Amino acid sequence: MQPADLLLLKPMQPSVMEALAGAFTLHRADTAPDPDAFYREIGPRIRAMATGAQAPVDRTLIEKLPQLEIVASFGVGYDTIDVGAAAERGIVVTNTPDVLSDEVADLALGLLLATVREIPQADRYLRAGHWPTRTYPLTATLRGRHVGILGLGRIGRAIARRLEGFGVALSYHGRRRQDDVSYAFHPTLLEMARAVDVLMIVAPGGPETNGIVNAEILEALGPDGIVVNVARGSLVDEPALIEALRSGAIHGAGLDVFAAEPEVPEAFLGLERVVLLPHVGSGSVQTREVMGQLVVDNLLSWFSGKGPLTPVPETPANAPSTGAAR
């Protein structure tokens, strides 16, 4: 049987590319000289797609692929995929949850500590030769702080478990109370922001959370407030955050994600109490390899007739394909 035709929107790590090329007839959108001609030619044959957060899958693209059965996304967030349009067609969408939770949680803790204790700033201070002439200024502390987690999902829980070891108070806000945790639940984000002085953002992106961390939330955190975002840049009103940092309405911020990645607002670069990372939350060799393998495994499982391994909640509960990858 002929291998299924698979569309790859952006290149992935070599091991994943090799596995996909070995199991499917691979079509790369990123190397197509004429995208319109490319989709006219191969669009009617495509049954699977592999993609990541940097390559949006909108309704227009989905409509170009009448035989599409499954979209396998690299990453836990899938707000760049129009899952509604996919569900209307009975198309399965998968992501790569769990396998990156610990890595992102580790990074989140590192980013929080780096922001509170100004670790990158102190490093630059030493490298610039200032230490022999004067000691580095005293910093803020994590001692006695109250951390509020926006989004107590897999990653949020992993962060909370790590924070327990630091002896800080913990609260959370999400769509519902979770009865199996002892952390304080706040029914609104504003209520939680008033109660805490560290806001750890781990909620999904999408229309419901777009700009949810706005000027009102930042003001509620207060002048000792710290914002750490390892979720999606879209959750934060970036102009409001820049103004809050400039004015001293909050103390500092640690950001791994931005609204228009890879572009970063230039105003952030001139702020001292900000730690900026280029979206590296899951960016270890080991974790990215496991994530890539889960993309491949979801596709292989689907075309072997076993159904998807890690479907997103919005995915229709339709029967798995009876086709074969090879």
Side-chain angles (χ1 to χ4, degrees), residues 91-268:
I91 297 167
V92 167
V93 177
T94 66
N95 62 345
T96 59
D98 295 323
V99 295
L100 52 70
S101 297
D102 285 333
E103 203 74 77
V104 177
D106 290 347
L107 190 283
L109 263 292
L111 187 52
L112 172 59
L113 289 170
T115 303
V116 173
R117 295 302 311 276
E118 302 180 14
I119 294 173
Q121 296 92 324
D123 175 83
R124 293 194 296 269
Y125 186 90
L126 181 149
R127 292 172 187 272
H130 297 316
W131 191 15
T133 58
R134 58 191 184 279
T135 58
Y136 189 79
L138 301 179
T139 71
T141 181
L142 198 60
R143 302 302 97 227
R145 283 189 175 270
H146 189 161
V147 179
I149 299 175
L150 173 56
L152 197 68
R154 295 178 179 92
I155 297 173
R157 283 173 174 250
I159 291 170
R161 289 194 299 271
R162 285 157 173 76
L163 284 170
E164 288 176 6
F166 285 85
V168 298
L170 291 168
S171 294
Y172 71 99
H173 167 69
R175 286 172 288 194
R176 57 179 177 81
R177 182 188 298 273
Q178 301 189 35
D179 295 332
D180 61 339
V181 298
S182 60
Y183 319 129
F185 171 71
H186 294 272
T188 70
L189 178 55
L190 181 59
E191 179 185 305
M192 185 174 77
R194 288 170 175 158
V196 305
D197 51 24
V198 174
L199 178 59
M200 181 72 69
I201 303 171
V202 209
E208 292 183 1
T209 57
N210 188 54
I212 192 173
V213 179
N214 54 26
E216 184 180 27
I217 301 301
L218 297 170
E219 183 179 357
L221 277 177
D224 292 327
I226 299 284
V227 172
V228 176
N229 191 3
V230 293
R232 285 286 186 265
S234 60
L235 276 77
V236 176
D237 180 337
E238 289 184 337
L241 177 57
I242 290 167
E243 179 55 33
L245 290 162
R246 279 175 171 166
S247 68
I250 66 170
H251 179 81
L255 308 173
D256 185 43
V257 289
F258 303 89
E261 295 177 3
E263 301 301 321
V264 177
E266 189 173 351
F268 279 131

Side-chain angles (χ1 to χ4, degrees), residues 1-26:
M1 184 177 293
Q2 283 292 105
D5 288 82
L6 182 142
L7 173 65
L8 182 67
L9 293 186
K10 290 282 183 71
M12 296 183 181
Q13 56 262 58
S15 60
V16 176
M17 301 277 284
E18 182 179 351
L20 292 176
F24 301 93
T25 299
L26 194 61

Side-chain angles (χ1 to χ4, degrees), residues 28-49:
R28 294 185 55 175
D30 61 303
T31 59
D34 184 343
D36 290 335
F38 173 77
Y39 283 112
R40 281 196 303 270
E41 179 185 352
I42 62 94
R45 305 201 306 270
I46 294 296
R47 296 174 60 196
M49 181 192 304

Side-chain angles (χ1 to χ4, degrees), residues 27-103:
H27 304 275
R28 294 185 55 175
D30 61 303
T31 59
D34 184 343
D36 290 335
F38 173 77
Y39 283 112
R40 281 196 303 270
E41 179 185 352
I42 62 94
R45 305 201 306 270
I46 294 296
R47 296 174 60 196
M49 181 192 304
T51 186
Q54 298 301 321
V57 179
D58 57 17
R59 182 179 293 273
T60 300
L61 176 56
I62 290 173
E63 289 175 348
K64 294 177 180 178
L65 312 172
Q67 301 301 317
L68 184 64
E69 301 173 24
I70 182 170
V71 177
S73 182
F74 181 94
V76 66
Y78 53 92
D79 49 295
T80 54
I81 299 173
D82 190 335
V83 291
E88 289 173 13
R89 284 260 310 276
I91 297 167
V92 167
V93 177
T94 66
N95 62 345
T96 59
D98 295 323
V99 295
L100 52 70
S101 297
D102 285 333
E103 203 74 77

